[in-house]
Amino acid sequence: MRVSQSLVPFAIIALVLSFVNAYDPSPLQDFCVAIDDLKGGTFCKDPKRVDAKDFFFSGLNMPGNTNNQVGSNVTTVNVDQIPGLNTMGISLVRIDYAPHGQNPPHTHPRGSEILVLVEGTLYVGFVSSNQDNNRLFAKVLHPGDVFVFPIGMIHFQVNVGKIPAVAFAGLSSQNAGVITIANTVFGSNPPIYPELLARAFQLDASVVKELQAKFGSI
């Protein structure tokens, strides 16, 4: 089958865009251990100085402190904790939930998430985009169950059991980022105009100001 010469430039552009749109840089060597000192444009630690501790983290066996307003704690293991994750496009978290605690609605702008429940009972879900009519995809999870949250989708978890719950999640980025919806909307610095939020959320401006006072102090 002969490919039209007129299609070749488009094929090349498509190929280039597939690389440009990658969320994390792909490695061009065995590893690229991140370093803080970027003098001279050097982003990788000298491979000869790399050792096992650059790929190691200890502590995910320890429960996080859930004594807070939402009743949960996220222990993050990304490139900030393991510099050897640099360019690998993966990271990990442990999430602890007190009874009735929640990981409130949030989104990861740079990565999808796959969560496995190891203890307790969780109600989890995500909401699709406006284009998909904001459909809710939700399940009750039991130990051994797995659920996926697509990149950028607002999602949540809540402990619906009477005992603490523990989950582990992998993310498709060395630093997926997190945007907690309530904190972001009502706790921005400086605050968003209350009148704007009042109309957007169909609330009285006084209610918005009360929420901003609450989340702005967190």
Side-chain angles (χ1 to χ4, degrees), residues 18 25 51 66 79 81 86 97 104 121 126 128 137-138 190 199:
S18 69
D51 57 31
T66 60
V79 70
Q81 287 74 40
N86 189 38
Y97 312 82
T121 307
F126 70 88
S128 64
F137 297 82
R199 187 166 187 177

Side-chain angles (χ1 to χ4, degrees), residues 186 193-195 197-198 203-213:
F186 297 108
Y193 289 152
E195 294 76 16
L197 295 179
L203 297 172
D204 189 271
S206 62
V207 175
V208 172
K209 291 176 182 178
E210 182 178 343
L211 289 169
Q212 288 179 320

Side-chain angles (χ1 to χ4, degrees), residues 5-87:
Q5 292 297 315
S6 63
L7 296 178
V8 172
F10 295 101
I12 295 174
I13 291 172
L15 181 62
V16 170
L17 287 176
S18 69
F19 287 104
V20 171
N21 288 332
Y23 300 117
D24 283 350
S26 298
L28 299 177
Q29 56 205 54
D30 289 350
F31 44 77
C32 174
V33 174
I35 56 174
D36 293 329
D37 185 5
L38 301 180
K39 294 179 180 178
T42 302
F43 293 89
C44 302
K45 187 175 182 179
D46 183 347
K48 296 178 181 178
R49 296 175 51 229
V50 172
D51 57 31
K53 71 177 184 295
D54 292 313
F55 303 93
F56 176 78
F57 175 88
S58 179
L60 282 188
N61 60 315
M62 301 297 294
N65 182 7
T66 60
N67 185 22
N68 53 53
Q69 292 172 316
V70 295
S72 70
N73 183 280
V74 179
T75 303
T76 302
V77 184
N78 60 24
V79 70
D80 293 330
Q81 287 74 40
I82 303 181
L85 283 175
N86 189 38
T87 75

Side-chain angles (χ1 to χ4, degrees), residues 147-203:
F147 199 83
V148 173
F149 306 104
I151 184 171
M153 299 291 100
I154 294 175
H155 59 285
F156 60 86
Q157 305 104 36
V158 58
N159 183 357
V160 293
K162 297 180 180 180
I163 64 172
V166 181
F168 291 87
L171 296 117
S172 62
S173 171
Q174 67 187 35
N175 186 358
V178 60
I179 300 171
T180 305
I181 307 306
N183 301 62
T184 302
V185 174
F186 297 108
S188 65
N189 184 21
I192 300 172
Y193 289 152
E195 294 76 16
L196 185 155
L197 295 179
R199 187 166 187 177
F201 286 91
Q202 300 295 292
L203 297 172

